[in-house]
Amino acid sequence: MNSPMPFPWQRAATGANLLSPDGTLGVTIFEEMTTLALQTGAINLGQGFPDEDGPVEIKAAAQAAIAAGANQYAPGKGILELREAISLHQERFYGLEPDPQTEIIVTTGATEAIAASLLALVGPGDEVLTFEPFYDSYGAIIGLSGARHVTAPLLAPDFMPDLAALDAAFSSRTRVVLVNNPHNPTGAVFPREVLERVVELAIRHDAVIITDEVYEHLTFGARHIPVATLPGAAGRTLTISSAGKTFSFTGWKIGWLSGPEHLIAAARTVKQFLSYSSGTPFQSAIAAGLGLPDEFYAGIADTLQLKRDILSEGLRAAGLDVFTPQGTYFVNVDTAPLGITDAVELARRLPALVGVAAIPVPVFCHPEGAERTRSLLRFAFCKRIDVLQEAAERLATLRDRL
């Protein structure tokens, strides 16, 4: 017990902002807000999961696979049918052609792909660079690995990085730069010039790029550019995506990882001792889903954009400053126009106050970033239209209720 943090779970908890300075272990903000929503009957716009299922043909494919007996372990790297479908999807949308045999593995959601990649590639003495705010599992896994988590800020209102600050965040110890694009929690979609700077800096510092692209098809008027398509990037980039967000089957936990063979082999070595394999009949169904026509992919983005706009109208009526996202499930607002500068405190009051739950953005940051985003709240709009209309009406009363 010579070290102040001798156990891996403590490093993970600290990385995810769950461990207080006095050593008290808290719950995730998602659990806290969900509990408050249940206690008050509030509409839960905190955690980002849909409240309606995805395409019936994908559900039917899963049912057919179960009936046909696809109920035992899948191969550790995923069934060949899905790996081939992922390769075809990458070629169809981005011109990439990963080898299904050696350059793709199927994972238990994107979360496992992130964990396997980081645990395979970094350790004590290394640095992992992410943008800030950052998805909480990044901090947890970086902490678990023993590496140091370094951040570069994304700045409102458009949540683009300051490129000089990004340059300064790299060092000789930067082993991995982890890029979430489209970005959760801000909803930013990074343009080519930002991504090219990331690649340029990764090459200069000989860093691996890991990209979390789970919202790749959920963009609104902005083009998603996979980092692996940029000059000089393919040989040092691991690309992560999943079926959960695209197809609205988050509970199936089917994700994937693609990239050069030597990096995939490293990640697979760790992944096989995490879950080994998962969701055999679901893998077959997602293979079918990846072959859906272009109209499907355009349609899900259009529907989500409509939902974004419905909720945003209610947030503006509440007197909040709305930062319109270019992608993802989330819209962020600034509570400062209402004279409120503590989003965490407001998030805890909101379910009882107006019957809607949200997530405060500071929980996705280190202390300095938490101060910078102190007055920001994140709302999820991946819900039914009638639910969002009701939430918008409730939120429009916020100014009067405060």
Side-chain angles (χ1 to χ4, degrees), residues 106-151:
V106 178
T107 59
T108 305
T111 304
E112 186 189 43
I114 293 162
S117 299
L118 288 173
L119 294 175
L121 297 175
V122 302
D126 295 326
E127 293 179 352
V128 178
L129 173 60
T130 75
F131 290 121
E132 186 181 51
F134 52 84
Y135 180 52
D136 60 348
S137 80
Y138 299 169
I141 298 301
I142 294 167
L144 188 63
S145 76
R148 178 170 176 256
H149 187 183
V150 178
T151 62

Side-chain angles (χ1 to χ4, degrees), residues 329-359:
Y329 282 169
F330 307 109
V331 58
N332 289 263
V333 302
D334 192 348
T335 65
L338 295 179
I340 297 172
T341 58
D342 187 344
V344 175
E345 190 268 342
L346 179 59
R348 289 175 171 142
R349 293 175 58 200
L350 207 58
L353 200 61
V354 296
V356 177
I359 299 291

Side-chain angles (χ1 to χ4, degrees), residues 224-375:
H224 171 63
I225 303 172
V227 170
T229 64
L230 299 177
R236 64 175 65 245
T237 301
L238 283 171
T239 302
I240 295 167
S241 194
S242 78
K245 302 300 191 296
T246 298
F247 299 118
S248 294
F249 291 118
T250 58
W252 290 12
K253 297 295 290 180
I254 300 297
W256 49 85
L257 186 62
S258 60
E261 182 176 356
H262 69 287
L263 293 178
I264 289 293
R268 184 184 171 196
T269 300
V270 174
K271 178 262 184 300
Q272 66 187 342
F273 297 111
L274 296 177
S275 67
Y276 181 68
S277 69
S278 60
T280 303
F282 298 139
Q283 290 189 34
S284 177
I286 295 305
L290 287 172
L292 289 174
D294 292 353
E295 293 76 17
F296 164 77
Y297 290 95
I300 55 174
D302 289 345
T303 300
L304 200 59
Q305 182 172 343
L306 172 63
K307 293 179 175 184
R308 177 200 70 179
D309 294 344
I310 289 170
L311 180 61
S312 296
E313 184 178 348
L315 293 166
R316 290 191 185 94
L320 299 163
D321 191 0
V322 177
F323 304 124
T324 302
Q326 292 185 299
T328 76
Y329 282 169
F330 307 109
V331 58
N332 289 263
V333 302
D334 192 348
T335 65
L338 295 179
I340 297 172
T341 58
D342 187 344
V344 175
E345 190 268 342
L346 179 59
R348 289 175 171 142
R349 293 175 58 200
L350 207 58
L353 200 61
V354 296
V356 177
I359 299 291
V361 175
V363 304
F364 299 110
C365 301
H366 291 155
E368 184 179 342
E371 187 60 33
R372 187 178 58 252
T373 60
R374 179 178 170 81
S375 61

